[in-house]
Amino acid sequence: MSLTTIPTDKELANISACIGEGWELLPVFLNINEQIDVDGSRLYKIFLILQSWRRLKNETMKVLLKALLEAEYRIVVDWELLRKNIGYGKEVLSL
């Protein structure tokens, strides 16, 4: 896993599991104008939002993590779980 590559489906699924309350605001902070109107769990809907972001923006893991950090206090991200799931968290963004 690298900060300079486009996240895979597996990485997006692992990130999805770390996003909690406020997740509905993800499209705003990811700068995508797509509504995800499907039945399914919160986890599945977050995953679909992240997939849409990847498809529309074609950006790196670092850009995604920066967007999640910018959303802090509005979208709950479990950074410790994220570090466990993908190997790094917000500390890499200060490098």
Side-chain angles (χ1 to χ4, degrees):
M1 289 179 234
S2 169
L3 288 173
T4 59
T5 60
I6 295 168
T8 64
D9 276 347
K10 184 176 181 179
E11 290 169 330
L12 293 179
N14 284 329
I15 293 167
S16 297
C18 303
I19 298 172
E21 189 176 329
W23 67 269
E24 299 90 344
L25 294 172
L26 273 173
V28 174
F29 287 96
L30 296 176
N31 292 315
I32 60 172
N33 192 19
E34 264 193 29
Q35 297 295 320
I36 305 296
D37 190 22
V38 296
D39 290 331
S41 68
R42 173 190 59 84
L43 180 64
Y44 182 64
K45 291 176 184 179
I46 293 169
F47 176 68
L48 292 179
I49 291 169
L50 294 178
Q51 278 189 321
S52 291
W53 168 82
R54 182 182 61 196
R55 179 176 43 79
L56 294 167
K57 300 293 184 175
N58 204 35
E59 290 283 5
T60 65
M61 177 71 80
K62 187 170 186 173
V63 171
L64 176 57
L65 293 179
K66 277 185 173 184
L68 292 176
L69 185 59
E70 288 172 6
E72 205 167 34
Y73 307 114
R74 291 168 295 273
I75 297 174
V76 175
V77 177
D78 185 337
W79 291 100
E80 289 300 317
L81 181 58
L82 186 70
R83 188 175 297 104
K84 185 185 288 187
N85 283 354
I86 66 170
Y88 38 75
K90 65 182 175 181
E91 72 281 351
V92 298
L93 300 175
S94 61
L95 302 175

